[in-house]
Amino acid sequence: MDTDTISDHIAAVSIPFESATSLPLEGILERIGDARVVLIGEASHGTSEFYVARERITRALIEQKGFSFVSAEADWPDASRVDHYVRHAEYPPGEWTAFARFPTWMWRNQETLDFVEWLRRHNAELDFDDRVAFHGLDLYSLFSSINEVLSYLDQVDPETAAIARQRYECLAPYRHEPVEYARAALSPRFQDCEPDVLRMLSELYERRAKLEAKDGTRFFNAMQNARLIANAEEYYRTMLFGTHSGWNLRDTHMFETLESLLEHYGENSRGVVWAHNSHIGNSAATDMSRRGEFNIGQLCREKFGSKMYSIGFGTDNGTVAAADDWGDPVDIKQVRPSREDSYEYLCHRSGVPNFTLPLRGGDPSLVKALEKPRLERAIGVIYRPLTERQSHYFGASLPRQFDEYIWFDTSQAVSPLGTQPVDGVPDTYPFGV
């Protein structure tokens, strides 16, 4: 099929809707069926419609299908502050501000706040064990996680806290700039901290029965932070060696965190994942596979098969909240109209402003036509329109990448909430998505 024929076919079989708040949820829930894991993406980290649609689907999964938790492409300690709030936890929260590092607007925005407030209200009348949790999957919070482990152990096991301080002391020189740890690793005289952080993780495992008996929820939180420290140490230690290992380490950590959450909440638990399209779509269907990269979407597909469902998003034009470079202030940028050799252009040419397109079990002739690889756009926290082809497009096969695709022809930026950075808390490493 040529471009116009495919676009006409999209117009004929897609399911239109007026806005993100009127998304046709009933059909989406039916197609999700009894999936245990639902991965819901975004084509940028700063588009309001993606956030609102994702949150509406998530609310429906919680209310109508009894999903147990939401897990986001966010740092574990930051998300724990949200979890403490939405589950009305009684133990004291950490003494610091969540989502206060670049890119603050990715989760510190009005759209996410609306969901957080809804989830807190939803949980208010439920027993604690039945309340829906909110967790982070990412591994950038090396020193925040160290602080969380030490704070927890100071309260419940001072003897182990003293051991932990000794183990983590190796990383102390890099606490204000963890990238320096990566640079130090290039030196032949480098002494890495891996043995110390792994030994500490082992120490916690050895004390599991004692600590878990005191408070299983808080111990689980501490263990996840300790695992994160071990994985983040490896991530920073290897990040400058110029291979694909950094991406794979990160997505492996996110997938293993998801597995831990499913185990923690029990065999009948069900989880939602919020992350960028580049993480939740099947990487085997994209250029990533040629580079030896994989992602949480591919790992979930291999593990859960038909018991997982992935939803991607796209847009043609509008505005997006993004920065010019890592660490720069957020700016509301104009999104350039899509390239003619992209999936976005096919959707734009359909003439349907907003629609959802089932791909798993969708119209066979359209799915076949869409399987031919085309370009797809990805905007992270950085958007560089002048180098868009090199910076933001990659090859993909859409029906092999997602089970469903939701389209907003024109979209608007998220509404960032103000914050001040926390002194002494290091910035994360500059990944665009």
Side-chain angles (χ1 to χ4, degrees):
M1 294 186 190
D2 61 24
T3 295
D4 287 341
T5 302
I6 295 174
S7 294
D8 289 344
H9 205 157
I10 290 173
V13 305
S14 62
I15 304 166
F17 56 89
E18 288 189 8
S19 67
T21 57
S22 62
L23 192 66
L25 294 172
E26 184 177 348
I28 293 173
L29 294 183
E30 184 177 344
R31 290 186 289 276
I32 288 172
D34 61 353
R36 189 179 185 193
V37 175
V38 177
L39 299 93
I40 312 179
E42 57 191 13
S44 86
H45 283 318
T47 299
S48 179
E49 284 81 358
F50 302 155
Y51 280 65
V52 172
R54 180 167 60 187
E55 290 156 17
R56 290 200 71 242
I57 296 169
T58 302
R59 292 186 193 189
L61 291 172
I62 291 168
E63 291 181 314
Q64 300 182 42
K65 289 183 177 286
F67 271 60
S68 315
F69 63 86
V70 178
S71 53
E73 183 189 340
D75 291 338
W76 181 274
D78 295 77
S80 293
R81 293 299 304 273
V82 175
D83 185 57
H84 186 281
Y85 179 71
V86 299
R87 287 206 283 169
H88 304 263
E90 295 180 358
Y91 58 86
E95 296 294 331
W96 55 287
T97 303
F99 305 125
R101 295 191 304 272
F102 181 91
T104 57
W105 69 92
M106 180 174 164
W107 297 115
R108 186 176 282 272
N109 57 63
Q110 187 62 51
E111 290 80 357
T112 301
L113 179 60
D114 289 343
F115 174 79
V116 167
E117 294 294 349
W118 173 85
L119 187 55
R120 179 175 168 83
R121 293 193 300 271
H122 172 84
N123 283 335
E125 303 303 321
L126 301 176
D127 292 337
F128 185 80
D129 290 344
D130 296 327
R131 293 172 188 168
V132 178
F134 187 94
H135 295 292
L137 297 174
D138 226 330
L139 53 52
Y140 288 136
S141 58
L142 177 58
F143 292 98
S144 296
S145 289
I146 289 175
N147 290 339
E148 290 291 289
V149 171
L150 294 177
S151 176
Y152 164 75
L153 290 174
D154 280 338
Q155 296 173 47
V156 302
D157 191 339
E159 178 183 340
T160 305
I163 296 171
R165 281 188 169 80
Q166 291 177 346
R167 299 278 186 258
Y168 295 144
E169 183 63 26
C170 176
L171 290 164
Y174 311 99
R175 73 173 298 108
H176 295 295
E177 187 51 80
V179 175
E180 290 301 322
Y181 185 65
R183 296 191 180 104
L186 299 175
S187 169
R189 296 186 297 276
F190 173 69
Q191 296 295 317
D192 69 70
C193 300
E194 181 182 26
D196 292 313
V197 297
L198 291 179
R199 198 173 299 125
M200 189 60 237
L201 186 59
S202 178
E203 294 274 357
L204 283 177
Y205 268 120
E206 290 172 7
R207 289 163 170 75
R208 178 172 185 168
K210 172 186 173 184
L211 296 174
E212 204 167 30
K214 293 182 178 181
D215 188 330
T217 298
R218 296 189 67 193
F219 175 74
F220 176 71
N221 182 62
M223 280 300 305
Q224 288 304 122
N225 276 304
R227 290 192 188 100
L228 188 155
I229 295 163
N231 289 334
E233 183 277 331
E234 182 179 6
Y235 173 82
Y236 282 110
R237 174 164 41 87
T238 61
M239 65 185 287
L240 296 184
F241 283 93
T243 68
H244 54 261
S245 61
W247 176 278
N248 290 349
L249 279 168
R250 185 182 173 206
D251 274 61
T252 297
H253 174 81
M254 289 199 280
F255 175 70
E256 290 176 347
T257 302
L258 174 63
E259 287 187 304
S260 296
L261 289 168
L262 291 168
E263 180 182 0
H264 177 70
Y265 289 109
E267 60 182 2
N268 295 320
S269 63
R270 305 173 78 180
V272 180
V273 174
W274 289 358
H276 197 279
N277 284 353
S278 58
H279 291 292
I280 65 98
N282 180 11
S283 54
T286 74
D287 284 345
M288 293 170 62
S289 62
R290 293 191 294 102
R291 301 194 297 266
E293 295 174 345
F294 53 80
N295 64 5
I296 189 172
Q298 179 179 340
L299 295 173
C300 281
R301 195 167 296 275
E302 293 169 355
K303 169 80 181 249
F304 300 106
S306 63
K307 296 299 182 182
M308 63 83 67
Y309 197 83
S310 64
I311 301 174
F313 287 84
T315 189
D316 177 72
N317 63 82
T319 59
V320 65
D324 292 330
D325 208 342
W326 195 262
D328 285 354
V330 63
D331 189 16
I332 305 303
K333 295 171 168 283
Q334 292 292 323
V335 178
R336 299 182 67 174
S338 53
R339 291 174 54 93
E340 293 187 7
D341 50 356
S342 69
Y343 282 110
E344 287 84 359
Y345 186 75
L346 292 178
C347 293
H348 173 67
R349 288 282 291 175
S350 74
V352 183
N354 308 312
F355 63 77
T356 184
L357 184 66
L359 296 170
R360 184 198 291 188
D363 182 270
S365 60
L366 178 59
V367 169
K368 183 176 180 180
L370 291 174
E371 282 182 344
K372 177 184 176 181
R374 288 176 171 81
L375 292 180
E376 183 181 315
R377 180 160 56 191
I379 299 173
V381 297
I382 295 168
Y383 182 41
R384 299 186 176 112
L386 295 180
T387 59
E388 194 176 56
R389 172 61 183 91
Q390 295 79 15
S391 304
H392 299 290
Y393 278 97
F394 62 97
S397 173
L398 197 73
R400 295 177 52 230
Q401 187 183 10
F402 303 114
D403 296 308
E404 187 146 346
Y405 190 66
I406 299 177
W407 176 254
F408 297 94
D409 197 64
T410 300
S411 55
Q412 304 301 317
V414 294
S415 300
L417 300 175
T419 185
Q420 295 297 321
V422 177
D423 291 337
V425 179
D427 286 340
T428 56
Y429 180 67
F431 262 100
V433 295

